[in-house]
């Protein structure tokens, strides 16, 4: 099992969460909530209003999201879904545990130094330069007050 941190449309209550609970694509078990230890710019960009975490450590906000344990099949699905390695790159990032529901309770999260876990995160180092000038968010919600409606893949 691998740990994955999701911050956008794959979170609970968001448009693509259905993929995280579709066992035909693999297993994803919700472990808890967290935020990036380092600050990153989280922008909503492109004609489909997709959330992107730009891989510019030290800029932006501590990005909030959810931590999942996923099996190899789900990890492969997520790589394809996220257009990895072209659109997004899957990298290890340090995630501060905010709330833990995973097996072993809080103890497992505390076993990591200061409640920090290494998780795979889909971020991008390849983006148009003007994206750096877009508003930065710390918590993505597809129906947030930003007014940028996410366009589902099947509607593009």
């Amino acid at each position: 099992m691998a740990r994955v941190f999701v911050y956008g449309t794959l979170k609970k209550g968001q448009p693509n969460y259905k993929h995280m609970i579709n066992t035909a694509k693999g297993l994803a078990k919700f472990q808890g909530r967290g935020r990036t230890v380092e600050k990153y710019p989280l922008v909503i960009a492109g004609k489909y209003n997709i959330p992107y975490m730009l891989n510019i450590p030290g800029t932006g906000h501590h990005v909030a999201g959810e931590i999942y344990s996923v099996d190899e099949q789900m990890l492969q699905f997520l790589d394809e879904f996220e257009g990895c390695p072209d659109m997004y790159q899957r990298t290890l990032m340090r995630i501060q545990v905010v709330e833990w529901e995973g097996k072993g309770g809080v103890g497992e999260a505390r076993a990591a130094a200061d409640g920090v876990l290494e998780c795979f995160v889909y971020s991008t180092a390849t983006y148009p330069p003007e994206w750096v000038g877009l508003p930065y968010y710390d918590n993505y919600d597809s129906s947030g007050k930003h007014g940028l409606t996410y366009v589902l893949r099947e509607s593009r």
Side-chain angles (χ1 to χ4, degrees), residues 106-129:
V106 178
E108 185 181 332
R110 283 210 182 114
D114 304 325
V116 173
L117 299 171
E118 287 227 314
C119 299
F120 284 122
V121 180
Y122 293 91
S123 64
T124 186
T126 53
Y127 50 84

Side-chain angles (χ1 to χ4, degrees), residues 74-150:
M74 179 59 80
L75 195 59
Q76 285 181 353
F77 165 77
L78 290 172
D79 278 356
E80 288 174 32
F81 182 79
E82 299 289 10
C84 184
D86 301 321
M87 189 159 126
Y88 290 94
Q89 296 79 49
R90 175 167 46 97
T91 56
L92 280 172
M93 286 187 190
R94 291 166 19 94
I95 304 300
Q96 175 74 48
V97 175
V98 173
E99 189 182 306
W100 192 253
E101 293 180 16
K103 266 196 304 217
V106 178
E108 185 181 332
R110 283 210 182 114
D114 304 325
V116 173
L117 299 171
E118 287 227 314
C119 299
F120 284 122
V121 180
Y122 293 91
S123 64
T124 186
T126 53
Y127 50 84
E130 60 269 20
W131 285 11
V132 176
L134 293 172
Y136 297 164
Y137 300 92
D138 62 352
N139 194 357
Y140 175 79
D141 183 344
S142 63
S143 56
K145 59 184 176 197
H146 50 71
L148 300 167
T149 306
Y150 174 77

Side-chain angles (χ1 to χ4, degrees), residues 6-21 30 33 66 68 139-144 150 152:
V6 298
Y7 56 84
T9 65
L10 291 167
K11 295 189 306 184
K12 289 179 181 179
Q14 297 303 310
N16 289 316
Y17 176 67
K18 61 188 179 221
H19 299 301
M20 298 299 285
I21 55 174
F30 177 77
R33 299 184 197 294
E66 298 172 349
Y68 288 84
N139 194 357
Y140 175 79
D141 183 344
S142 63
S143 56
Y150 174 77
L152 284 168

Side-chain angles (χ1 to χ4, degrees), residues 5 33-37 62-65 67 94-98:
F5 176 76
R33 299 184 197 294
R35 63 186 197 119
T36 58
V37 169
H62 299 283
V63 177
I67 302 164
R94 291 166 19 94
I95 304 300
Q96 175 74 48
V97 175
V98 173

